[in-house]
Amino acid sequence: MKNGKKNWVFCDGDLPPAGKDASFPGHEALMITNVGKKDASIRIKVLFEDRPPYENVTLDLAAERTVCLRLGG
C-alpha cells in the first residue's frame, strides 16, 4: 500500500481547555509527513463551524521530512 494521496481530510481540531499550568497551554497540531523522494508543495484549507474558512495556507515540505503546525492556543 502506498502512503499519502493528493487530497487528505483531517477531521480534528477541537482546541482543548487550558490546563492548570499556564506555561503549558492546550493546543492542537497538524503533523504532516512527506514520505516521498520529492519535495512537496502543500496547500491547506481550514474549515470552521462558526466562521468562514482560511484558504490557501501554503507550505513547502522537503522529501522524507515532517512538519508540525500548531493550530491554536
Side-chain angles (χ1 to χ4, degrees):
M1 180 168 101
K2 287 190 170 192
N3 293 315
K5 299 286 180 187
K6 286 192 172 218
N7 297 298
W8 296 353
V9 176
F10 299 90
C11 295
D12 190 13
D14 182 43
L15 182 63
K20 293 178 184 177
D21 182 353
S23 66
F24 190 70
H27 73 280
E28 280 289 318
L30 176 62
M31 297 190 69
I32 302 171
T33 302
N34 180 359
V35 297
K37 299 288 186 189
K38 296 180 182 177
D39 294 353
S41 294
I42 299 167
R43 185 178 63 220
I44 301 169
K45 180 177 184 179
V46 182
L47 303 175
F48 301 94
E49 66 179 87
D50 60 348
R51 58 185 160 182
Y54 290 154
E55 297 193 57
N56 297 317
V57 177
T58 60
L59 63 100
D60 293 321
L61 184 54
E64 301 182 324
R65 296 290 187 265
T66 191
V67 66
C68 179
L69 301 174
R70 187 173 173 143
L71 300 176

